[in-house]
Amino acid sequence: MNSLRRACVVLTAAAGLGSVLVPAASADSLQTVAYTSEDGAWPLEGSAQYAAPGDEIAVFESTQGILWIDVQSGLKDLNVELSAPAGETLHTGTYTGARFRGQSDPALNTPGIFVYTHGNVCGDDYADFTIDRLDKDADGRTTDVDVTFVQHCGSPDGPATRGEVHFHA
């Protein structure tokens, strides 16, 4: 890998997110979160791109099996939580028909999603998400994640937010 590729990681985003050059601490470390929302989407509006080390990005799986993606960027915050249907654990693959699952709600018969930003949350989510990578270390801590999601608030055909997460510690 040449030195230019070590200095920058190219984040090629699907579904209209565009391309972004993201500085990386090393060739192995990558922590980015990006989304683009159609007009009228909620609670995420417009588009945003976050990258560590300038932005704080944490990704972990809770003891309840919920994958938490937490972004802190100055006074801005973003939290996306993804969960498998009741009785299942998250794994690589595509999850369709995800519905709102509040932070203290029990598991659902469908996959779950919770999107929160600036005190706003959609309580009527319709979403699909794909986990392309979900690796853990020997102690069970989440170390590597690649996720894409499409979320609609209020109806399955409402304005969409398309996002992606790449977290490689």
Side-chain angles (χ1 to χ4, degrees):
M1 183 177 285
N2 66 37
S3 60
L4 178 60
R5 292 184 80 189
R6 286 188 185 136
C8 294
V9 174
V10 176
L11 170 63
T12 303
L17 290 176
S19 296
V20 179
L21 291 178
V22 179
S26 74
D28 297 326
S29 179
L30 173 67
Q31 297 177 10
T32 64
V33 175
Y35 68 84
T36 297
S37 297
E38 296 173 351
D39 287 341
W42 182 259
L44 302 177
E45 299 174 301
S47 64
Q49 297 155 349
Y50 303 98
D55 300 310
E56 294 180 41
I57 299 173
V59 175
F60 60 94
E61 196 169 350
S62 72
T63 55
Q64 294 84 21
I66 299 171
L67 182 65
W68 290 57
I69 300 139
D70 185 56
V71 178
Q72 298 296 317
S73 179
L75 297 176
K76 299 176 183 175
D77 63 327
L78 168 64
N79 182 259
V80 177
E81 300 170 18
L82 306 172
S83 58
E88 297 182 31
T89 57
L90 283 174
H91 54 79
T92 57
T94 298
Y95 293 83
T96 59
R99 296 302 312 269
F100 172 80
R101 179 182 181 192
Q103 293 179 318
S104 60
D105 292 348
L108 305 169
N109 291 332
T110 64
I113 188 167
F114 178 88
V115 178
Y116 170 91
T117 187
H118 309 298
N120 299 312
V121 66
C122 175
D124 190 19
D125 283 302
Y126 298 85
D128 299 324
F129 59 90
T130 298
I131 300 174
D132 290 315
R133 185 172 184 178
L134 181 60
D135 296 337
K136 298 177 185 179
D137 65 13
D139 294 324
R141 289 186 295 257
T142 304
T143 58
D144 295 284
V145 172
D146 288 310
V147 171
T148 57
F149 66 90
V150 178
Q151 180 242 6
H152 305 265
C153 183
S155 71
D157 59 348
T161 295
R162 291 171 176 78
E164 62 180 61
V165 177
H166 301 283
F167 184 88
H168 306 282

